[in-house]
Amino acid sequence: MTDRVILVIIDGLTHAGACSGMGYLNHLVEAGRAARLLIKAELPTLSRPLYEVLLTGTACYVNNIASNYPAGMSGQKSLFHLTGEKGLKNAAAAYHWISELYNRHPFDPVRDREQDDESRAIQHGRFYFDDSYPDSHLFSDGELLRIKQNPDFLLIHPMGVDNAGHLYGPDSGQYRQKILEADAMLGRLVPGWIREGYHVLITADHGFSPDGRHGGTSPEERRVPFFGIGPSFIPGAYQEEVSQLAVAPLICNLLKISPPAAMASIQFPALGR
């Protein structure tokens, strides 16, 4: 049984959009090969605070990452810190805010685009800084890191769905097209990840209000999907809401690392071990 994890955070993916637009992932659920859950995003429903929630398992009032700006480094132990302390290897292909939270602030597009330094929290990173950076390139960045570095924990974080939501709204053809494209890319990559012995977790930071915004408290902004693929999950479509704070301790469980005291302790449904 594997103890390695690939976490895919599809920025701005609503639960409704995932259920209606991700044919491959929902096929795995129907075929008894994956679990699908409904995650309730923490507040505020903004990207930088929710990256911190997903990667440290701490709420805003604990970590003080309360908005997208002004930027600053996290004061919490992230999954990157924890894997490094355990002697595991990690990597990330992600938006540059992830680098700013855990490796170095401020982000320099030349100096920090590619990072390979095992003394840092994120040991191997490929970071983009343009919201329109193609998801196809980002997934390729992540897959190359996986092949070259063979990490125990890999974060892949595409922005195309979020960018389309801001530009056209979550009820637009452009938004739905980006969801279809992300699902197709996962359809090409996930079978290989499974063969290589990874647990694959796919979720989002936040959703969208009908007018293409987020940051508020509406159900559309807070309801995001979670797909769990691997031998530790009991397959099926689960209807109960699960706190977003449960994701980081779940990953600690799968990696067999001890969570820090500040991390929320929440039981994750659909686990078989």
Side-chain angles (χ1 to χ4, degrees), residues 154-237:
L154 171 62
L155 169 66
I156 297 179
H157 171 224
M159 188 67 70
V161 171
D162 180 81
N163 193 46
H166 283 297
L167 291 174
Y168 307 106
D171 195 31
S172 65
Q174 293 92 334
Y175 181 79
R176 288 190 288 271
Q177 180 61 30
K178 286 299 179 184
I179 294 174
L180 291 170
E181 291 173 6
D183 183 70
M185 292 175 213
L186 289 166
R188 291 192 293 271
L189 292 169
V190 167
W193 296 345
I194 294 171
R195 287 194 299 271
E196 291 296 320
Y198 282 95
H199 280 97
V200 181
L201 318 182
I202 300 158
T203 190
D205 49 351
H206 57 74
F208 273 102
S209 63
D211 60 356
R213 302 176 191 276
H214 57 89
T217 65
S218 70
E220 294 88 350
E221 292 165 273
R222 299 193 73 175
R223 291 163 64 95
V224 298
F226 180 96
F227 294 88
I229 305 165
S232 293
F233 292 102
I234 301 170

Side-chain angles (χ1 to χ4, degrees), residues 7-241:
L7 171 65
V8 181
I9 301 175
I10 301 178
D11 210 288
L13 176 62
T14 64
H15 183 264
C19 290
S20 64
M22 307 204 85
Y24 169 69
L25 293 182
N26 284 289
H27 158 70
L28 294 180
V29 176
E30 286 190 357
R33 297 292 184 270
R36 188 188 75 210
L37 296 96
L38 168 60
I39 296 288
K40 185 177 184 180
E42 282 289 294
L43 298 174
T45 52
L46 296 168
S47 290
R48 196 186 296 257
L50 296 184
Y51 302 159
E52 177 80 344
V53 168
L54 287 165
L55 294 168
T56 71
T58 60
C60 174
Y61 74 91
V62 175
N63 60 51
N64 294 316
I65 305 295
S67 66
N68 287 338
Y69 305 101
M73 291 192 70
S74 169
Q76 303 297 316
K77 280 194 175 183
S78 70
L79 293 165
F80 300 110
H81 295 89
L82 295 170
T83 50
E85 291 173 1
K86 181 73 172 180
L88 304 177
K89 184 178 286 191
N90 68 58
Y95 195 56
H96 69 288
W97 288 358
I98 301 291
S99 173
E100 286 190 326
L101 279 168
Y102 308 115
N103 264 18
R104 188 156 50 195
H105 179 270
F107 181 87
D108 182 280
V110 175
R111 178 193 64 187
D112 297 330
R113 169 81 172 93
E114 298 185 1
Q115 300 180 44
D116 292 285
D117 183 348
E118 296 198 359
S119 71
R120 293 192 176 273
I122 304 173
Q123 298 164 349
H124 302 280
R126 301 295 180 267
F127 300 102
Y128 62 100
F129 45 90
D130 188 329
D131 289 12
S132 62
Y133 187 71
D135 286 357
S136 58
H137 292 38
L138 187 279
F139 275 104
S140 293
D141 292 340
E143 181 64 354
L144 185 58
L145 280 170
R146 188 192 67 79
I147 292 169
K148 291 180 66 175
Q149 303 299 337
N150 194 31
D152 299 284
F153 174 61
L154 171 62
L155 169 66
I156 297 179
H157 171 224
M159 188 67 70
V161 171
D162 180 81
N163 193 46
H166 283 297
L167 291 174
Y168 307 106
D171 195 31
S172 65
Q174 293 92 334
Y175 181 79
R176 288 190 288 271
Q177 180 61 30
K178 286 299 179 184
I179 294 174
L180 291 170
E181 291 173 6
D183 183 70
M185 292 175 213
L186 289 166
R188 291 192 293 271
L189 292 169
V190 167
W193 296 345
I194 294 171
R195 287 194 299 271
E196 291 296 320
Y198 282 95
H199 280 97
V200 181
L201 318 182
I202 300 158
T203 190
D205 49 351
H206 57 74
F208 273 102
S209 63
D211 60 356
R213 302 176 191 276
H214 57 89
T217 65
S218 70
E220 294 88 350
E221 292 165 273
R222 299 193 73 175
R223 291 163 64 95
V224 298
F226 180 96
F227 294 88
I229 305 165
S232 293
F233 292 102
I234 301 170
Y238 295 76
Q239 302 304 317
E240 64 185 286
E241 281 191 342

